[in-house]
């Protein structure tokens, strides 16, 4: 699907088919969950990142269903580049009303970055001032998990992680996504 | 903070399938309570934050009932995209808010005779926290309890505690 066509689809679905919820409610709720995790794991940010990713993964497993239903896509993406287009311009658009920029492809077409010019989760956020969070916590890590879970349900095993975040003082917020493999359809075990 | 842990012999926990260290083991009820308490706490913080942002430009509240009405109309619409359907009070600090079509329950399905009501109950802790947090941010100390007897309705009972005499 051409890039502009994906944009139009995203725009259209977001406008007409998505139930909206107050943005501040989402921001505050997500922020509070991160705070709670930091408390629960005693500021072990590596573990917090892991938990956020896991929560996202469980969301992604289900969210893909909603994505497919709402976007009404019937055709498979023909390659990983097309998948990236659909993630950025349809997926992120319809669920968060943002369109991250796709960039930094590797030449084999298996790795790309999403650069977030805006990140609704990060509104009013300051990382803990303990000298470690700035280096260890990936605040929006839930998004990595969401992608991993959602793509797994459509036969793609991917790895996703943030490599920079404006909350840490970086210039950009960038997520790196790598295709590990296409998962073969496995036949269910035969009944005797 | 308020999470209670009890020391017991290894393996005394009845929580199925969960491996734990030997030093602290909580029994199942306590563990559920701890989870519910944390959920309530999450809601509390969200409620506080929401009210801070959304009551800023409105006129000062006259009394507690005024605050409760703000909750039923503005806050409920903000969070659940509809207003509370019914508000009752005994005029002695108890308010009962009924939502006949509570949003979080609206898409829950269950087969007949399943324990749907029981299984929906845990979804009320965050909303309770939101209400309590919102009230706290507006200077009202209260206990909030919610229950459902039939999906998708939910009933919230707010008991305000009398302000300490100055």
């Amino acid at each position: 699907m051409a890039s502009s066509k994906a944009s139009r689809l995203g725009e259209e679905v977001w406008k007409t088919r998505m139930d909206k919820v107050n943005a501040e409610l989402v921001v505050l709720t997500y922020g509070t969950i991160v705070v709670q995790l930091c408390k629960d794991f005693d500021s072990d940010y590596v573990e917090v990142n892991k938990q956020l990713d896991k929560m996202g993964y469980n969301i992604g497993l289900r969210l893909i269903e909603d994505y497919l239903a709402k976007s009404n896509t019937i055709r498979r993406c023909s390659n990983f580049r097309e998948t990236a287009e659909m993630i950025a311009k349809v997926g992120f658009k319809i669920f968060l009303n943002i369109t991250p920029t796709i960039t930094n492809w590797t030449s084999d077409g298996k790795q790309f970055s999403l650069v977030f010019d805006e990140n609704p989760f990060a509104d009013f956020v300051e990382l803990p001032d303990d000298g470690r969070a700035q280096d260890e916590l990936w605040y929006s890590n839930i998004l990595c998990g969401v992608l991993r879970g959602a793509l797994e349900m459509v036969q793609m095993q991917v790895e996703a992680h943030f490599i920079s975040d404006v909350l840490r003082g970086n210039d950009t917020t960038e997520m790196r996504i790598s295709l590990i493999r296409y998962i073969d359809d496995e036949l269910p075990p035969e009944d005797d | 903070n308020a999470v209670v842990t009890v020391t017991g012999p290894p393996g005394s926990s009845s929580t199925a399938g969960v491996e734990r260290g030997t030093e602290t083991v909580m029994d199942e009820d306590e563990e559920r309570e701890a989870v519910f308490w944390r959920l309530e706490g999450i809601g509390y913080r969200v409620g506080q934050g929401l009210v801070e942002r959304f009551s800023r430009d409105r006129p000062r509240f006259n009394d507690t009932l005024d605050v409760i009405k703000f909750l039923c109309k503005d806050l409920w619409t903000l969070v659940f995209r509809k207003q509370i359907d019914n508000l009752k009070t005994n005029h002695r600090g108890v308010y009962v808010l009924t939502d006949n079509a509570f949003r979080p329950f609206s898409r829950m399905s269950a087969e007949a005779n399943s324990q749907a009501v029981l299984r929906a109950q845990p979804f009320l802790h965050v909303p309770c926290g939101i209400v309590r947090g919102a009230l706290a941010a507006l200077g009202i100390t209260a206990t909030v309890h919610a229950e459902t007897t039939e999906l998708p309705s939910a009933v919230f009972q707010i008991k305000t505690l009398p302000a300490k005499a100055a």
Side-chain angles (χ1 to χ4, degrees):
Chain A
M1 192 178 288
S3 154
S4 62
K5 208 175 156 197
S7 300
R8 274 203 308 279
L9 176 66
E11 190 72 41
E12 160 83 15
V13 174
W14 180 76
K15 267 194 197 143
T16 58
R17 279 177 238 166
M18 301 306 292
D19 286 339
K20 313 291 193 298
V21 65
N22 183 280
E24 262 106 351
L25 174 64
V26 177
V27 172
L28 280 165
T29 308
Y30 183 70
T32 305
I33 287 170
V34 178
V35 169
Q36 185 70 50
L37 285 173
C38 291
K39 269 190 216 156
D40 287 353
F41 293 98
D42 211 9
S43 297
D44 177 350
Y45 298 121
V46 176
E47 188 59 31
V48 172
N49 292 339
K50 227 184 265 173
Q51 293 295 326
L52 286 170
D53 182 89
K54 200 164 135 193
M55 290 165 85
Y57 175 78
N58 286 318
I59 293 171
L61 293 181
R62 293 164 177 77
L63 196 67
I64 187 70
E65 200 81 34
D66 200 40
Y67 165 89
L68 292 170
K70 296 268 172 42
S71 68
N72 206 10
T73 34
I74 36 171
R75 206 173 51 80
R76 241 168 219 280
C77 293
S78 54
N79 55 42
F80 199 50
R81 279 179 188 271
E82 202 178 319
T83 306
E85 291 283 330
M86 298 303 274
I87 291 169
K89 290 170 180 162
V90 183
F92 275 100
K93 176 68 190 179
I94 68 177
F95 293 119
L96 289 176
N97 192 23
I98 55 170
T99 308
T101 310
I102 304 163
T103 179
N104 297 338
W105 278 100
T106 49
S107 54
D108 62 2
K110 286 186 173 173
Q111 276 183 41
F112 66 95
S113 289
L114 289 175
V115 175
F116 296 82
D117 298 322
E118 42 180 345
N119 175 6
F121 285 165
D123 283 346
F124 339 114
V125 173
E126 276 178 41
L127 297 186
D129 190 15
D130 58 3
R132 291 190 300 115
Q134 306 276 336
D135 299 319
E136 293 168 17
L137 177 63
W138 292 113
Y139 182 80
S140 308
N141 219 36
I142 200 166
L143 295 175
C144 299
V146 171
L147 284 185
R148 190 163 62 83
L151 290 173
E152 187 178 301
M153 294 303 275
V154 285
Q155 266 86 43
M156 274 168 271
Q157 189 186 345
V158 302
E159 196 281 322
H161 62 276
F162 278 99
I163 55 173
S164 67
D165 189 341
V166 290
L167 289 177
R168 290 183 172 203
N170 303 131
D171 292 335
T172 55
T173 300
E174 180 172 348
M175 190 203 291
R176 197 85 189 129
I177 295 123
S178 319
L179 175 66
I180 296 169
R181 65 185 182 110
Y182 285 100
I183 303 162
D184 292 327
D185 280 325
E186 276 174 42
L187 292 172
E190 263 180 70
D191 290 329
D192 287 323
Chain B
N1 25 22
V3 178
V4 183
T5 54
V6 182
T7 311
S12 71
S13 165
S14 56
T15 314
V18 180
E19 295 268 330
R20 247 163 236 293
T22 48
E23 67 283 5
T24 54
V25 182
M26 282 194 273
D27 78 24
E28 212 167 325
D29 281 351
E30 283 169 322
E31 202 156 340
R32 280 170 70 84
E33 278 306 311
V35 169
F36 293 159
W37 177 249
R38 291 224 295 285
L39 286 172
E40 214 267 354
I42 285 172
Y44 184 86
R45 201 182 139 119
V46 172
Q48 265 189 322
L50 284 175
V51 162
E52 254 174 47
R53 292 189 63 75
F54 291 97
S55 66
R56 205 184 55 173
D57 298 321
R58 71 180 308 291
R60 182 177 281 273
F61 294 102
N62 296 317
D63 51 20
T64 305
L65 186 61
D66 222 15
V67 173
I68 302 281
K69 281 182 183 165
F70 168 79
L71 221 76
C72 294
K73 291 182 181 167
D74 302 60
L75 186 78
W76 223 258
T77 307
L78 192 78
V79 180
F80 302 117
R81 298 186 304 152
K82 72 183 285 293
Q83 298 186 5
I84 278 285
D85 296 302
N86 186 282
L87 164 63
K88 283 188 193 138
T89 175
N90 68 352
H91 297 289
R92 286 204 306 271
V94 178
Y95 301 85
V96 179
L97 285 57
T98 307
D99 189 334
N100 295 325
F102 188 53
R103 286 282 180 193
F105 293 165
S106 66
R107 296 197 187 170
M108 286 186 182
S109 59
E111 38 196 303
N113 301 325
S114 65
Q115 294 182 306
V117 167
L118 213 63
R119 291 165 81 177
Q121 197 78 24
F123 288 80
L124 290 167
H125 292 285
V126 171
C128 270
I130 291 179
V131 172
R132 201 170 64 83
L135 288 169
L138 295 168
I140 296 171
T141 314
T143 58
V144 182
H145 178 78
E147 58 181 26
T148 174
T149 45
E150 194 185 354
L151 298 177
S153 74
V155 179
F156 289 78
Q157 194 184 70
I158 300 169
K159 278 187 196 159
T160 59
L161 307 179
K164 278 206 185 104

